[in-house]
Amino acid sequence: MFKLARFYDDAITGTTADIAGLVDYLKTFDALYIWGAGYLGDAVGAKLLEIGVPVTAYWDTRHESLASLHEIPVLPTFTSRASPERTGVVFCISSSFVMEHCLSELKRHGFAHRIQGDMLYAGLICPLDDQSTFKTCRDANACDVYTCRKNEYFHKRWLGVPENEPGPSLYFKNITFVINQICTLKCKYCYSYTNAYPDESRKNFPLAQILSDIDKTFDAIDGVKIVPLIGGETFLHPDLSLIVKKFLEKSNFGILNVTTNGIVKIHDRQLEGLADSRIQVVFSNYKASLSAKEGDLFDRNVERVRANGAQVIVMNETPQWTVPTTLWDRNYPLETMKQKRRDCLNPLICKYVKNGKFYPCTVADSIYNIGVADYPQDYVTLDADRSREALRGEIRTLLARSYFDSCRHCDGVCGTTGVTALAGEQGHYEVVKLPMPTRLRAAQ
């Protein structure tokens, strides 16, 4: 009897999957929809058609502009010719900005039969195996290297990460390195809260500090699958190529994602090293919110970086973000803070290294660096003279906490409110100052 969970397990470990069983299972639904007509949905849809699985339609917010894909109609989300109980949904939304919101909406609309598109890709399409390297992942644009469990499984095997050492392994899905707090855009709902920084804090961090942070972090951990390098805007840092060079000295990471909004002047010296087989240059695509002039600059930068030999990933045009939490103290009781910590996905993915400190999430990072509060137990200081074992112990202690003081500031779950907004919308969103109650504003 076919078990979808077994198919997922086989996909993760590279074991030959039961494709015939999958085909029969997917054919049991009265209607089968692929949610997401981006890179992942495109690849998965083509493969399903190839192996004989009829796809009823795609769901996508861009249905009017897309109309169809692989001669399959693209419809508004949750349009179904069958009842939710008799509908299968292949979930191909890979954007971390909206994934959790989409999953909750799917549940709210009564669609219980969700098939993970990333697992279908891993089991049906992905060539990764023990003879591969992370170049296989670097060169793929349909899958999400951040959330992929298959590349994590193989990366741990390649590194020989011990499963039963004393204390938990210090292997991470990703650790984000932040090299500046300046940007060429003013995205209203920026997850890095760049608009909230006072003028004196909008700066590039010193090269020496960044290089030291790289050394201390990578020497302390067992490994990390993905290293996003972000700002602000990364290409505003004049020493970007030297920072990249330092990362490439380390053998215990999989892929370095040099992330950019693409709306920036790129200098020749900043392109050095970006063609390495462990680097992706990731262009966040907010063109729908930008001017035609900015869109032209984005396209020119994509082609320039690509012509230099780098592996360029242009993200799907993101129509929505979920609005990040505000940062003022909400005075939650202790049990609420502990529940937020239990519910949060940050223990899995969202570690930040920034200007000499290791943070458990972007909320803790932003609370400290914007100047909202200083909670010393919510970060580890990466002192140059601290030993490897001391740092490992402090990082373990940090991540084992049942709550962070920063959780008291976090509205919603995982630093997001669940409310959606136009991705890349320019403007200001007040996150530091607690709004005055309506009755008091009216009295003024």
Side-chain angles (χ1 to χ4, degrees):
M1 182 177 179
F2 177 78
K3 297 289 187 181
L4 189 59
R6 175 62 185 272
F7 182 92
Y8 292 165
D9 288 341
D10 289 343
I12 291 168
T13 60
T15 305
T16 302
D18 182 4
I19 297 176
L22 174 70
V23 171
D24 291 341
Y25 169 73
L26 295 178
K27 286 182 176 179
T28 63
F29 296 107
D30 292 342
L32 184 69
Y33 293 88
I34 298 177
W35 190 0
Y39 299 134
L40 178 60
D42 185 343
V44 169
K47 190 64 178 182
L48 290 180
L49 294 177
E50 178 186 318
I51 62 176
V53 177
V55 177
T56 307
Y58 281 91
W59 288 344
D60 200 286
T61 56
R62 302 164 296 168
H63 56 93
E64 291 184 354
S65 60
L66 294 175
S68 66
L69 181 61
H70 303 303
E71 300 183 348
I72 300 169
V74 181
L75 305 177
T77 309
F78 307 127
T79 301
S80 180
R81 72 182 190 192
S83 66
E85 296 81 10
R86 295 294 308 149
T87 298
V89 179
V90 180
F91 188 78
C92 290
I93 303 294
S94 57
S95 170
S96 59
F97 291 118
V98 295
M99 183 185 294
E100 291 304 312
H101 172 74
C102 291
L103 289 173
S104 65
E105 285 295 291
L106 190 67
K107 183 177 180 180
R108 186 172 70 84
H109 282 80
F111 293 95
H113 300 293
R114 172 172 61 91
I115 301 96
Q116 294 178 227
D118 60 339
M119 289 298 185
L120 296 189
Y121 184 92
L124 299 174
I125 303 170
C126 176
L128 191 66
D129 58 24
D130 274 326
Q131 281 67 54
S132 306
T133 67
F134 249 103
K135 187 177 184 301
T136 301
C137 298
R138 187 207 71 158
D139 293 345
N141 64 0
C143 54
D144 184 355
V145 293
Y146 284 88
T147 57
C148 177
R149 292 169 60 191
K150 183 176 183 178
N151 61 17
E152 180 180 342
Y153 172 83
F154 280 99
H155 192 223
K156 285 182 175 179
R157 284 178 55 166
W158 297 337
L159 290 177
V161 173
E163 295 291 338
N164 299 306
E165 68 170 310
S169 164
L170 287 185
Y171 179 89
F172 299 92
K173 292 179 182 291
N174 73 339
I175 299 176
T176 297
F177 279 72
V178 185
I179 62 175
N180 60 20
Q181 291 172 172
I182 50 176
C183 191
T184 56
L185 296 179
K186 295 182 178 180
C187 295
K188 185 174 182 179
Y189 300 113
C190 174
Y191 274 66
S192 296
Y193 299 97
T194 304
N195 283 345
Y197 283 93
D199 288 344
E200 63 271 17
S201 297
R202 300 189 183 202
K203 60 187 178 182
N204 288 305
F205 296 130
L207 175 63
Q209 181 65 66
I210 296 170
L211 300 185
S212 175
D213 290 347
I214 295 170
D215 279 334
K216 299 304 291 185
T217 301
F218 280 92
D219 290 350
I221 66 174
D222 296 312
V224 56
K225 183 175 72 171
I226 307 298
V227 181
L229 185 64
I230 70 168
E233 167 51 51
T234 52
F235 280 94
L236 287 178
H237 201 296
D239 297 312
L240 178 60
S241 62
L242 297 177
I243 295 167
V244 167
K245 181 180 179 181
K246 170 59 75 171
F247 276 110
L248 293 176
E249 293 176 2
K250 308 302 176 183
S251 60
N252 54 341
F253 76 89
I255 294 177
L256 176 67
N257 283 158
V258 180
T259 304
T260 176
N261 63 38
I263 314 301
V264 60
K265 182 177 180 179
I266 296 177
H267 300 278
D268 289 342
R269 66 180 183 277
Q270 294 176 309
L271 298 174
E272 295 175 9
L274 295 184
D276 188 87
S277 63
R278 291 195 291 162
I279 293 178
Q280 291 176 332
V281 181
V282 180
F283 282 77
S284 300
N285 190 351
Y286 313 138
K287 288 172 66 175
S289 299
L290 304 177
S291 68
K293 182 178 179 180
E294 289 170 323
D296 288 342
L297 176 59
F298 180 96
D299 292 339
R300 291 197 305 273
N301 278 333
V302 167
E303 293 310 312
R304 183 179 181 202
V305 175
R306 186 173 281 148
N308 190 65
Q311 174 65 11
V312 171
I313 302 294
V314 179
M315 300 297 288
N316 289 314
E317 186 176 303
T318 307
Q320 291 180 321
W321 279 346
T322 47
V323 176
T325 179
T326 54
L327 298 176
W328 55 75
D329 191 340
R330 295 178 176 273
N331 293 307
Y332 291 127
L334 181 60
E335 187 49 47
T336 298
M337 295 164 66
K338 289 183 176 180
Q339 187 61 51
K340 282 182 172 293
R341 170 67 168 150
R342 288 192 292 269
D343 292 342
C344 194
L345 289 177
N346 288 344
L348 299 176
I349 57 174
C350 298
K351 309 300 179 289
Y352 276 67
V353 172
K354 184 174 181 179
N355 202 26
K357 290 181 171 58
F358 180 105
Y359 299 93
C361 66
T362 187
V363 175
D365 147 34
S366 301
I367 286 170
Y368 176 82
N369 283 290
I370 292 173
V372 177
D374 182 358
Y375 300 125
Q377 290 185 308
D378 283 11
Y379 54 79
V380 171
T381 300
L382 301 171
D383 288 339
D385 58 352
R386 192 158 298 181
S387 72
R388 177 180 188 270
E389 289 308 316
L391 271 180
R392 285 174 70 84
E394 291 185 36
I395 292 171
R396 280 180 171 144
T397 298
L398 173 73
L399 300 181
R401 290 190 62 193
S402 61
Y403 70 92
F404 301 113
D405 289 296
S406 301
C407 296
R408 194 167 55 245
H409 297 244
C410 186
D411 185 22
V413 180
C414 302
T416 67
T417 61
V419 178
T420 57
L422 181 65
E425 177 184 351
Q426 302 295 284
H428 180 72
Y429 168 50
E430 180 55 63
V431 297
V432 175
K433 295 179 182 178
L434 180 66
M436 184 181 294
T438 304
R439 60 184 177 81
L440 295 181
R441 291 202 302 270
Q444 285 188 334

